[in-house]
Amino acid sequence: MKAFTEMTGKVVPLDAINVDTDAILPKQFLKRIERTGFGEFLFYDWRYENGKEVQEFVLNQDMYRDGTILLTGKNFGCGSSREHAPWALTDFGIRVIIAPSFADIFYNNAFKNGLLPIVLEEGEVGNLFRHGEDIPGYRLTIDLVHQTVSDDRGFHCHFSVEPYRKELLLKGLDEIDSTLVNQEIIDSFEKNHRIHYRLKS
């Protein structure tokens, strides 16, 4: 995974609550076995109608096609536990999602796939939506090291993240990679364990 320390990106305002994983990536695309190439199908049923782009949908607007920070409502990622949902978001180019709350399984899957979900109070999220309406191409800076969200107009707040998950993102490691960091210790244990087993036999 790509390491995450600090980034400044354009905010994509998706003003909706209870966005479920079937909306994020519809079920007809789950047959694919690759972990890449899902970005074109992100929010497919909202982005397209009869194969044509729905111009009113935020991701189809030129201003937001290169957005990297998704701003949305509470309970984002509810529904089924499909890991394909964060795959689609990251493949599209989203690195951060800001919401008042997330579904637990989606929240966990996001971290495992290099996506940073940030929980802010509803009032703070509302302020960000208003800034996005007033400022074309509104951008935020996300500092994972200091756990802050800020803009160049005075907005500044802190967010919480578990230290273990923070460390993995900062180093660009998934859970398997974090285990392999200790490969020498694992190999030594297995070698000694095999010797001990043969002696007992």
Side-chain angles (χ1 to χ4, degrees):
M1 293 192 311
K2 185 178 179 181
F4 188 116
T5 53
E6 181 180 7
M7 63 162 283
T8 298
K10 187 181 294 182
V11 175
V12 179
L14 179 63
D15 194 1
I17 63 172
N18 301 319
V19 176
D20 63 34
T21 52
D22 193 51
I24 298 170
L25 188 75
K27 58 184 178 299
Q28 65 264 34
F29 302 112
L30 302 184
K31 297 177 182 178
R32 295 168 57 91
I33 59 174
E34 304 89 351
R35 293 184 61 167
T36 58
F38 287 96
E40 62 181 302
F41 308 119
L42 178 66
F43 296 115
Y44 188 86
D45 292 341
W46 293 0
R47 287 170 65 193
Y48 301 97
E49 184 175 354
N50 298 323
K52 296 182 178 180
E53 288 189 349
V54 177
Q55 294 303 314
E56 294 78 15
F57 186 65
V58 63
L59 289 180
N60 291 335
Q61 298 172 21
D62 289 341
M63 183 184 299
Y64 300 114
R65 290 183 189 271
D66 59 346
T68 54
I69 300 171
L70 183 67
L71 179 67
T72 188
K74 62 183 179 181
N75 199 30
F76 186 85
C78 57
S80 68
S81 60
R82 65 192 66 170
E83 196 170 13
H84 304 69
W87 293 354
L89 287 157
T90 56
D91 194 68
F92 186 84
I94 301 296
R95 294 297 315 274
V96 175
I97 305 175
I98 300 174
S101 62
F102 293 88
D104 288 342
I105 295 176
F106 176 86
Y107 186 79
N108 293 329
N109 283 338
F111 281 104
K112 293 177 181 179
N113 290 281
L115 189 61
L116 175 60
I118 295 177
V119 176
L120 297 182
E121 294 181 1
E122 287 196 58
E124 292 172 326
V125 172
N127 284 337
L128 294 178
F129 271 114
R130 286 188 287 275
H131 290 332
E133 292 172 359
D134 296 339
I135 306 167
Y138 181 57
R139 303 172 76 84
L140 285 171
T141 295
I142 312 297
D143 183 341
L144 180 57
V145 175
H146 299 100
Q147 298 173 213
T148 60
V149 177
S150 59
D151 64 15
D152 59 1
R153 295 173 177 256
F155 181 88
H156 186 89
C157 69
H158 287 82
F159 63 90
S160 298
V161 60
E162 294 178 12
Y164 175 68
R165 286 171 164 164
K166 176 179 178 178
E167 180 183 7
L168 292 186
L169 280 177
L170 288 172
K171 294 180 178 178
L173 302 175
D174 61 22
E175 292 178 332
I176 295 176
D177 292 332
S178 69
T179 301
L180 294 179
V181 168
N182 300 307
Q183 187 66 56
E184 291 185 8
I185 297 173
I186 295 170
D187 291 343
S188 176
F189 173 83
E190 289 181 340
K191 179 180 179 180
N192 292 331
H193 183 73
R194 285 195 297 270
I195 293 173
H196 180 68
Y197 179 77
R198 285 199 296 270
L199 288 174
K200 288 185 65 177
S201 300

